[in-house]
Structures are given as structure tokens and as C-alpha cells.
Amino acid sequence: MSRISMEQVKHVAHLARLAITEEEAQKFQHQLDQMISFAEQLNELDTDQVNPTSHVLDMKNVMREDVAKPGLPVEEVVKNAPDSKEGYIRVPSIIE
């Protein structure tokens, strides 16, 4: 007996805005049943001695330091802009 009904599969597909055939619904019912079985197996594990973690592996910051540096001169920035005025890049107005 499946732990998930055909109606539940169709309901989830409807919520996800998916159009599925009867064959696909049966296939998904079987696949979802297998996922539920696997989750139930995980619930049987003794995790009393396991500390909660946010990641399985130790994570460290691999990004570089955020160091402020001087930017480009305004003249150099606006020289490539198609339109500029008083050091600002002009763009078409989108609000009337």
C-alpha cells in the first residue's frame, strides 16, 4: 500500500501548476512513496550523540577580504556612456 494517494499526487501537481497524465501520476506516486520510505529509514537512526549542524562539512569563508579601494575617475566612467550630464549617466525616463 502506498503512503501517498493518487489524489495527493494530483493535488501537488495542481499546486505546482503542472499538467500530468495518469501514467505520470502513477510514476510520481511510486517515486514519492520511495522518498517517504527513505525518510522513514532516516528517522530510525539514533542521532542522540550527533551535534546539530547547518552543513555536513566544515565551512570556512573562502572569499577575499573586503578592502575599500578608490574607484575610477568620473571622467573615465562617463566617457563610455551614450549620454551624460554633469558627471552623471543619463538614462531614459521610465516614470511619467
Side-chain angles (χ1 to χ4, degrees), residues 7-20:
E7 291 76 28
Q8 289 171 318
V9 172
K10 290 178 182 178
H11 178 68
V12 170
H14 173 72
L15 292 175
R17 304 291 190 253
L18 298 174
I20 60 174

Side-chain angles (χ1 to χ4, degrees), residues 23-70:
E23 295 80 27
E24 289 172 325
Q26 289 174 357
K27 178 181 175 183
F28 294 145
Q29 181 184 22
H30 177 69
Q31 291 175 343
L32 290 168
D33 184 55
Q34 288 179 325
M35 289 180 208
I36 293 169
S37 296
F38 182 70
E40 287 175 348
Q41 283 181 325
L42 291 176
N43 286 334
E44 294 173 6
L45 293 174
D46 179 20
T47 58
D48 292 339
Q49 302 300 319
V50 179
N51 294 328
T53 61
S54 61
H55 295 343
V56 178
L57 304 173
D58 288 334
M59 300 296 287
K60 63 179 180 178
N61 190 356
V62 294
M63 300 174 75
R64 63 175 169 75
E65 277 296 315
D66 189 12
V67 178
K69 296 180 181 177

